Amino acid sequence: MKNRILEAAENRFFQYGYRKATMDEVASDLGISKKTLYIHFKSKDAVAIAVIRALHKDIDKLLKQFSIKIPDPVERLGMMITEVSARLTRIGTLFLADIKKDIPALWRECEDFREKKIFEYGEAILKEGIRKGKVKKDIDTKIAMLVFLGAIHAVIQPEVFVKNPFSIDEAYKNILNIFLKGIQK
Amino acid sequence: MKNRILEAAENRFFQYGYRKATMDEVASDLGISKKTLYIHFKSKDAVAIAVIRALHKDIDKLLKQFSIKIPDPVERLGMMITEVSARLTRIGTLFLADIKKDIPALWRECEDFREKKIFEYGEAILKEGIRKGKVKKDIDTKIAMLVFLGAIHAVIQPEVFVKNPFSIDEAYKNILNIFLKGIQK
DNA sequence: AACTACAAATACTTAATTAGTTTCCATGAG
DNA sequence: CTCATGGAAACTAATTAAGTATTTGTAGTT
C-alpha cells in the first residue's frame, strides 16, 4: 500500500509541483481516504521525502547494474540518457522549485544526489573513456558533464515533442551524437 | 497588452487547469502587477472567457481557409488533425474539468463549439467524401466523427510522446491512415 | 529641485482552500 | 449480532487566492 501511495503521489508531485498537488487528490486517485493515507505517512512532507528516496534508490541500482553489465563507456553514456537522466527529468522544475522553499533539506538531498551520484558517475565514465582512448585527453570532464546534463534537460520534456517532429528515441540519439562527435563538418 | 495577458493566461490555464493557475502567476509571468491585470480584465473568469473565445475565433478562421484552399476532403481531414484538433487538445482536460464547475456557461460554449463547429465541419467533409466516391456510403458519419476525434484526443498528448518512440508527425499519419483505411489486412 | 503620471511592489480584506484530525457510516468477517 | 476496518464527510486551524487599496520608485516635464 505504501508503494501505491508513493506512485500516486509521485505522479501528482511531478506533474503539478509539490504545492499544487493536494493530499485530497492523491487519496482520490487511489480510491482511499486521507485517514488511510495518514496511517501510512506522518505528513505530506514525509510522502515527498519517501518518493524522492525511492527514486534515488532505483537509479542507484540502475547505475550499479550498468557498471557491471556494460563495459563500453560510450554505451554507458547512452544508457545514462535513456534510463537515468530521463527519470530525473520527470521530477520536473516545478517540484524542485517548490521543495526548495518548503523542504530545503530534501532539495539539498536531490542536489547532492545529482552532484555526487549522477555527475560523478558520468565523469568517471568520461575519464574511463579517456583512459581507453575513446575520449580526447584535453576535455574538461566537469564542463563536459554540465553540457551533457544541460542538453538532456533542455530536450527531454513532454512539451518539446508536441512541438517538434522527432521522437524521443531520435532525440536521445541526436543528443548523444552531438555530445560525442560535435556538429562540425 | 490584452493579447499578452491572454497568451500568458492561456499558457497557465492550459498547463495547470483553471483553478491551479493563479492571477499572481499570470501577472508575474508578464512582469506586471495584478493592479494592471485588473485594469484590462474585470475578473479571472473574464480572462478565461476571452482566452477561449480568441482560440475559437482562430480555429474558425482556419476552418474557413481550409474550405477555400483545399478541395480534397481527405486532405482536409488531415489538416483537421494537425491544425485544428491539436489546438483544441492543448486546452486540456484539466482546464475543461475546472471550468465545468466554475464557469459552466463557458464549458457549454466549448462543448457547443466542438459540437457545432468541429464535429459538423468534419461530418460535412465525410459527406462530401461520400459524394465524391472516396468514402463508403454505409458509414455513419456521426459515429465516424466520434471515433476520429476520440482517437486524436487519446494520442495527441505530451506524455504520450515521452513514453513512446514515435514523433508527433508519425502519430498524425498513423491516426489518419487507420481512420481512412482501417487496420485489417 | 519640484511636480506629475504611471505602474510595480506590497499590504489588505474577504472568501476559499488545504493539511491533518475526527466523526459517522457502510461493509465484511466471525 | 458484534467487531474491525476504512471510505466519506465534517471539522479545525493555517494558508492561499481573487480582487482592492496603499505605498514606493521611476521617468518625464517644468
Side-chain angles (χ1 to χ4, degrees), chain A residues 87-98:
Chain A
R87 274 175 167 72
L88 286 177
T89 305
R90 273 193 70 234
I91 295 178
T93 49
L94 289 175
F95 180 79
L96 290 172
D98 283 348

Side-chain angles (χ1 to χ4, degrees), chain A residues 42 53 56 112 146 160 164:
Chain A
K42 185 166 175 287
R53 284 182 183 170
H56 284 178
D112 276 356
L146 282 170
V160 165
N164 295 285

